[in-house]
Amino acid sequence: MAVLGLGLIGGSLLLRLAADQASSPGSPGSIGYDADPETRAAVAQRLGPSAVAPDLAAAVDGADLVVLAVPLPAVPIVVAALRDVGYRGLLTDVTSVKEPVRAIVTAELPDARWVGGHPMAGKEASGFDVADPELLAGCAWALCLDNGTALADWLDVARWVLGLGGRVTPLTAIEHDAAVARISHLPHLVAAALTTGAAAEPVGPAALGLAAGSFRDATRVAATRAALTAAMCGGNAAALITELDSLVERLEEARELLTTTDPVSALTGWLETARAIRHEWPPHGAETRTPLTRHDLLALGRAGGWLTELHADAATAVLPKSVHPPT
Amino acid sequence: MAVLGLGLIGGSLLLRLAADQASSPGSPGSIGYDADPETRAAVAQRLGPSAVAPDLAAAVDGADLVVLAVPLPAVPIVVAALRDVGYRGLLTDVTSVKEPVRAIVTAELPDARWVGGHPMAGKEASGFDVADPELLAGCAWALCLDNGTALADWLDVARWVLGLGGRVTPLTAIEHDAAVARISHLPHLVAAALTTGAAAEPVGPAALGLAAGSFRDATRVAATRAALTAAMCGGNAAALITELDSLVERLEEARELLTTTDPVSALTGWLETARAIRHEWPPHGAETRTPLTRHDLLALGRAGGWLTELHADAATAVLPKSVHPPT
């Protein structure tokens, strides 16, 4: 198993794989590679020199699974390098946007068996320094099941993610990108806008001095390295614009309610819709079994469900209580 | 000392005052009152029957300081009750909006010596059940210093807040309301809009299933009881509309950048402005001394500073490093 890119996510993954191997020596070995020599040195110091390859070719040589864990702007470079060394095996990635990765891999590395992935885990800090072997434990992990994905490959990667303790959500790349635009990329943009707005004249310094819990949480991810947030938002621009427009429409609704003669009553109903949804989150639901067909797996993912265990002919899954979408 | 209204904030305050009294029997006594008999029973069970008054008149009888801790819609009722019992002493409140409280008190209880206050503490849950004697420890606590406020009264209340471990920020009621519109009320509306939007068709269930840390924090306060959020937002409608419009303008800026040929580079600078501000938050700064004049105290609050200690002729204060407002 080769992990290419050893920042927060790739580094956390390599730490976890190394821990698994230490506790169960029969499990498959793993090796990491990062283009940055200082990162490689830090990883070697923490996990030993054999945990890091000196170059990409050495990392992927003989690997059954290659995990791309570089930010989106570096994906074309690493995919080209994989093409140059003739890699044709199973390939997954942990990038926060899936459709652009699908396009790059399909064009540049058509012989690799790519199954796009996205573990929903992160921190506002980045880099191997803050990597944590527990970061991915129990996290929701989207795995793309597109028309071009071989079901057998998808199940192989799903089995690997389940082994890491992830919750596997089957979705198409486009569905994934629409979902994360609203629950990750949009909150990142909003956090930045709230932060900049808080500091603006007038009353900026006083506002920042009084700001407490609601500001702290609403803006936490605004502390993320700007280049990382820009890469994920910019890489999903079309879906994000759709979500931005919906948000602005909802805020204009609230504005309208604030101008009525009884804004408190008017806002109560508008806020109660959100409260009821937030109260039921994170989703919980009943255990079920899902046949291992493309159709059934995607139906599960679209309903907000996830796999918890794979068997020979079916999967154990959780199907959340349906949330009634607001009208 | 009488605390009127024993929900999250009033209850936490009464618990703290009772603990102070238990550890230092010479300190002034405190008593609470709540219009809800079940809440009074719960407080009596926790703190003993003498901690709760059977009615408002008994609570304020002989009090040196009355703390109004009811939600904004109940303020006119309690102020009228205070007028009916002829209360003329020092009065503060912990309501999240100050200008409407000022208007009510000025009109209905002109003889009381009101100093509006707002401790910046809260939880998404409400009621005495979740009250916590530590809730207010170390919190920023705005105290209104308006033209109608006697400086001696303001200093008395400031001394009391400092004794509770609060950080006192002097501001006018209007400045306070503008500041909290952007750092508290606006984040509450945005949290609701993000939550409702996440559940909307299409991909609502899948989005909620994948949602992780950035969604969790961005929407935490959307779980607050709708009537409470509506009361604070509706009670500060004019200031909140101004902030909503600024936010929408900033989001439209981001939308514009997403449509450029290189959205990643374009967004990086926009995000970096926010990152730099958020990185410096919460504010920290150098200790300084402030003369006890209206002018100097307000200048401190407007610069984002706060009092930490009161002396006979000056206060020890913290003056944060200036944050350069974005252009």
Side-chain angles (χ1 to χ4, degrees), chain A residues 88 101 174 199 302:
Chain A
R88 292 164 164 261
V101 176
I174 286 176
R302 288 168 184 154

Side-chain angles (χ1 to χ4, degrees), chain A:
Chain A
M1 209 159 317
V3 182
L4 306 180
L6 302 173
L8 172 63
I9 304 289
S12 295
L13 185 56
L14 193 68
L15 290 176
R16 166 66 197 258
L17 292 169
D20 284 356
Q21 214 186 341
S23 66
S24 133
S27 64
S30 56
I31 194 159
Y33 173 71
D34 195 284
D36 173 43
E38 280 181 32
T39 300
R40 292 201 300 274
V43 176
Q45 183 160 23
R46 178 128 173 214
L47 292 175
S50 66
V52 201
D55 54 45
L56 181 137
V60 305
D61 183 35
D64 292 322
L65 173 65
V66 167
V67 184
L68 266 181
V70 295
L72 186 58
V75 167
I77 302 161
V78 181
V79 167
L82 285 172
R83 183 195 56 209
D84 292 347
V85 301
Y87 184 71
R88 292 164 164 261
L90 212 50
L91 177 68
T92 188
D93 71 295
V94 297
T95 320
S96 52
V97 195
K98 299 273 62 76
E99 194 50 26
V101 176
R102 198 192 59 70
I104 296 163
V105 174
T106 306
E108 297 294 325
L109 205 59
D111 293 340
R113 290 144 47 210
W114 178 70
V115 178
H118 182 200
M120 303 300 299
K123 284 187 191 177
E124 61 274 28
S126 57
F128 182 74
D129 287 352
V130 289
D132 171 359
E134 293 304 312
L135 182 70
L136 303 171
C139 83
W141 197 310
L143 279 187
C144 294
L145 186 51
D146 284 291
N147 283 335
T149 318
L151 185 58
D153 291 342
W154 191 91
L155 291 170
D156 278 348
V157 176
R159 197 166 285 114
W160 174 74
V161 169
L162 291 171
L164 289 168
R167 292 165 29 171
V168 173
T169 295
L171 287 173
T172 66
I174 286 176
E175 286 165 347
H176 165 275
D177 290 356
V180 296
R182 61 168 69 167
I183 53 87
S184 170
H185 306 171
L186 184 62
H188 276 78
L189 282 194
V190 167
L194 286 172
T195 301
T196 306
E201 292 295 353
V203 302
L208 291 171
L210 287 185
S214 64
F215 177 81
R216 179 195 62 220
D217 288 357
T219 62
R220 178 180 58 85
V221 296
T224 309
R225 195 147 64 81
L228 289 179
T229 304
M232 76 182 189
C233 292
N236 199 18
L240 184 49
I241 285 173
T242 302
E243 297 300 328
L244 258 176
D245 289 346
S246 299
L247 176 68
V248 167
E249 229 171 86
R250 282 200 171 77
L251 294 175
E252 299 288 6
E253 257 175 49
R255 187 191 199 286
E256 192 61 33
L257 299 175
L258 282 166
T259 63
T260 57
T261 51
D262 183 2
V264 177
S265 304
L267 274 178
T268 302
W270 186 85
L271 290 163
E272 175 54 26
T273 302
R275 196 210 56 79
I277 295 165
R278 188 57 174 71
H279 185 73
E280 290 297 321
W281 188 90
H284 44 93
E287 200 168 88
T288 183
R289 273 178 86 88
T290 296
L292 299 182
T293 70
R294 193 177 295 269
H295 176 268
D296 290 295
L297 290 167
L298 283 174
L300 175 80
R302 288 168 184 154
W306 58 88
L307 305 187
T308 56
E309 213 177 316
L310 268 173
H311 316 288
D313 60 343
T316 307
V318 174
L319 187 65
K321 290 193 347 187
S322 71
V323 174
H324 295 290
T327 50

